[in-house]
Amino acid sequence: KAGVTQTPRYLIKTRGQQVTLSCSPISGHRSVSWYQQTPGQGLQFLFEYFSETQRNKGNFPGRFSGRQFSNSRSEMNVSTLELGDSALYLCASSSRGGLEQYFGPGTRLTVT
Amino acid sequence: LAKTTQPISMDSYEGQEVNITCSHNNIATNDYITWYQQFPSQGPRFIIQGYKTKVTNEVASLFIPADRKSSTLSLPRVSLSDTAVYYCLVGDPPDSNYQLIWGAGTKLIIKP
């Protein structure tokens, strides 16, 4: 089975711009979660989608949003980028959600 | 979610067995214990999951005492490539208020 894929792998954006990141889960997995990882804050949960519905949401501002399509692929959007949004954004898929998740390689976002 | 406590860092040598202990005093009856491994600039990788006693797979063993207030991840005969951060998570997936909370993990350094 192919693993979780994320595109793009690297991205450089300017403050104020917006960005969309994409995640393709493992075939058959219906849950997709997004995380932000920074050296200072560690791994922080953004949100989880299950069967096209947002099921859980972390404590991030409304500039961070996501969606999931009928084929379980998911996108995450960040609007009005700030310097502090520079991070590794990780996507994880799971058959039903929860503790056993499979992570993609991440998208390294740099905001200048 | 039950809070977990792990050592911040550990050192060991190639060929040794390494045991990393995680404390989770407030674990609930339905909670499972899961361990992940993360290399720099990569997504975490699921290692092992258990509920009680002992679980073993091709990578590691997980020991859980009867009271389940702690767990120990055991890595047999480590090599330099086992240098990584190891995370312990506890929870009962999934439900509408569920989200994964990741601690700082244990940074394991294997020396030659």
Side-chain angles (χ1 to χ4, degrees):
Chain A
K1 258 185 184 178
V4 178
T5 59
Q6 292 187 245
T7 56
R9 293 293 312 279
Y10 302 91
L11 206 49
I12 300 175
K13 289 286 189 179
T14 303
R15 255 186 321 177
Q17 288 186 314
Q18 75 164 21
V19 66
T20 299
L21 312 181
S22 181
C23 171
S24 292
I26 291 171
S27 177
H29 283 188
R30 296 164 65 189
S31 168
V32 173
S33 297
W34 287 90
Y35 296 84
Q36 180 195 67
Q37 188 170 33
T38 59
Q41 298 296 320
L43 257 165
Q44 292 188 283
F45 172 78
L46 280 157
F47 30 67
E48 182 216 4
Y49 285 86
F50 184 84
S51 294
E52 301 180 65
T53 301
Q54 187 181 85
R55 186 163 65 174
N56 292 294
K57 188 176 189 304
N59 297 322
F60 277 80
R63 300 186 296 107
F64 293 81
S65 63
R67 59 177 175 168
Q68 186 180 33
F69 302 96
S70 58
N71 62 358
S72 292
R73 190 177 71 85
S74 178
E75 287 182 347
M76 188 192 92
N77 185 76
V78 187
S79 62
T80 320
L81 284 165
E82 301 177 358
L83 294 178
D85 296 333
S86 294
L88 180 67
Y89 288 89
L90 293 160
C91 158
S93 82
S94 171
S95 58
R96 66 183 190 111
L99 291 178
E100 186 173 346
Q101 300 193 356
Y102 296 87
F103 284 79
T107 295
R108 173 73 63 184
L109 172 64
T110 301
V111 182
T112 62
Chain B
L1 287 176
K3 179 178 167 58
T4 60
T5 303
Q6 306 174 231
I8 295 295
S9 64
M10 292 179 66
D11 291 352
S12 189
Y13 292 90
E14 279 191 297
Q16 298 294 306
E17 177 185 77
V18 171
N19 296 311
I20 306 174
T21 297
C22 179
S23 172
H24 28 80
N25 291 316
N26 297 322
I27 190 168
T29 303
N30 295 331
D31 284 347
Y32 279 73
I33 301 154
T34 307
W35 286 80
Y36 284 83
Q37 174 194 56
Q38 187 179 26
F39 299 113
S41 296
Q42 293 186 26
R45 180 176 78 113
F46 173 86
I47 300 176
I48 198 166
Q49 183 177 81
Y51 183 80
K52 62 180 180 181
T53 63
K54 177 184 174 183
V55 179
T56 298
N57 62 22
E58 65 278 5
V59 176
S61 294
L62 178 59
F63 297 93
I64 306 168
D67 66 7
R68 305 201 324 124
K69 293 184 183 299
S70 66
S71 59
T72 299
L73 175 72
S74 181
L75 304 172
R77 296 180 300 283
V78 294
S79 64
L80 296 176
S81 64
D82 291 315
T83 293
V85 178
Y86 293 82
Y87 296 93
C88 164
L89 288 95
V90 172
D92 171 30
D95 60 43
S96 61
N97 294 317
Y98 178 83
Q99 56 178 270
L100 278 179
I101 298 175
W102 297 67
T106 297
K107 185 171 184 179
L108 176 65
I109 297 173
I110 305 300
K111 303 174 183 177

